[in-house]
Amino acid sequence: MQQHAISGSTSPRLSRYFITMTDIIPTADLPSLPIEGDERRFPVRRVFCIGRNYADHAKEMGAAAEAIFFMKPTDAVFTGSRLPYPQATSDLHHEVELVLALGDGGAIMGCAVGVDLTRRDLQGAMKAKSGPWEIGKAFENSAPVGLLRFGPVPERGKISLKVNGVRRQSGDLSEMILAPRRVLSELARYFTLKPGDLVFTGTPAGVGPLQRDDRVKAEIDGLPPLEFTIT
Ligand code: MN
């Protein structure tokens, strides 16, 4: 398709975009993940999440330990180091999670450490109404993800999160109710998994609030740690 760069624009931000003859607005700039030892990037297609996949976390939320699926929009993915405190909440929670990155045929290409940021007050309000969770889960920058490591998915190993050096969450990947491959087979009952899809696989107990200036460090044995500061 014929494309024309915007020329003569005084905006450095706009000058990165191309406008086609048939699209009326610029195509969105989709996020991608950095890959360990590779200059290329992993472009993100969709973000699937599973809730209540560790029994101790389901218990602390007062919920049955029955896995449920939800999604975040692609532009929830955040790969920077300074994450702005989101609007419309006074109870932003951290949830450290193993993230699967899918390739051809929905097979696992690699893994990363992620945090499922949650506006717990808004999620709670929607739960009380039996409504959808989007306002609590699917906001901008709600899915920080670290460096992607290619290779097999770890089936066991420590998963933890510290805030300002103090441990808040701690568990083991082996405690997942649905192990990573089962998460994928369940998801595949409802969706055709595609290259570029990410899957957040649930969080262990210890979720809690974040404040501005908090330093978050999320770690999983064998994967590059994820660190960011709330601003
Ligand atoms: Mn979660």
Side-chain angles (χ1 to χ4, degrees):
M1 184 181 295
Q2 194 181 8
Q3 293 191 322
H4 297 276
I6 297 174
S7 58
S9 169
T10 54
S11 161
R13 215 170 74 79
L14 269 182
S15 64
R16 293 188 296 123
Y17 292 112
F18 290 85
I19 289 186
T20 69
M21 297 300 283
T22 53
D23 294 339
I24 200 163
I25 56 167
T27 302
D29 218 6
L30 290 178
S32 59
L33 302 182
I35 303 166
E36 187 182 51
D38 197 321
E39 305 233 315
R40 294 170 297 174
R41 309 270 301 186
F42 181 88
V44 177
R45 182 184 184 105
R46 291 175 295 185
V47 182
F48 295 98
C49 305
I50 185 167
R52 304 171 187 166
N53 199 24
Y54 289 76
D56 57 353
H57 171 63
K59 193 172 171 188
E60 75 178 347
M61 298 303 293
E66 186 182 357
I68 51 171
F69 291 111
F70 59 95
M71 294 181 76
K72 292 175 185 261
T74 303
D75 61 8
V77 172
F78 175 86
T79 58
S81 59
R82 295 174 63 77
L83 193 152
Y85 194 95
Q87 61 192 314
T89 185
S90 54
D91 197 19
L92 177 69
H93 273 209
H94 54 75
E95 299 187 354
V96 59
E97 310 205 2
L98 171 69
V99 179
L100 314 175
L102 308 188
D104 280 345
I108 299 170
M109 280 184 88
C111 301
V113 179
V115 175
D116 166 16
L117 289 174
T118 303
R119 295 191 287 212
R120 194 71 75 198
D121 40 4
L122 297 183
Q123 185 200 25
M126 294 314 288
K127 278 183 184 171
K129 288 196 255 189
S130 299
W133 289 6
E134 273 85 351
I135 62 168
K137 287 286 194 181
F139 52 96
E140 294 84 359
N141 304 323
S142 62
V145 182
L147 197 57
L148 181 59
R149 175 170 288 173
F150 285 147
V153 57
E155 305 255 324
R156 53 187 49 76
K158 198 170 177 56
I159 174 169
S160 64
L161 181 140
K162 288 180 194 164
V163 179
N164 302 323
V166 178
R167 188 174 307 284
R168 293 269 194 90
Q169 289 191 261
S170 186
D172 195 282
L173 297 177
S174 62
E175 295 162 4
M176 285 188 200
I177 294 167
L178 296 183
R181 279 169 215 294
R182 275 292 308 284
V183 171
L184 292 190
S185 61
E186 279 296 305
L187 263 181
R189 294 174 57 199
Y190 306 104
F191 303 95
T192 304
L193 297 174
K194 301 273 178 99
D197 288 341
L198 297 182
V199 182
F200 279 64
T201 57
T203 197
V207 301
L210 293 169
Q211 318 291 343
R212 284 193 173 82
D213 299 325
D214 277 348
R215 288 176 293 108
V216 177
K217 184 169 189 183
E219 296 175 277
I220 294 175
D221 278 353
L223 293 177
L226 165 65
E227 293 183 76
F228 57 89
T229 299
I230 305 291
T231 66

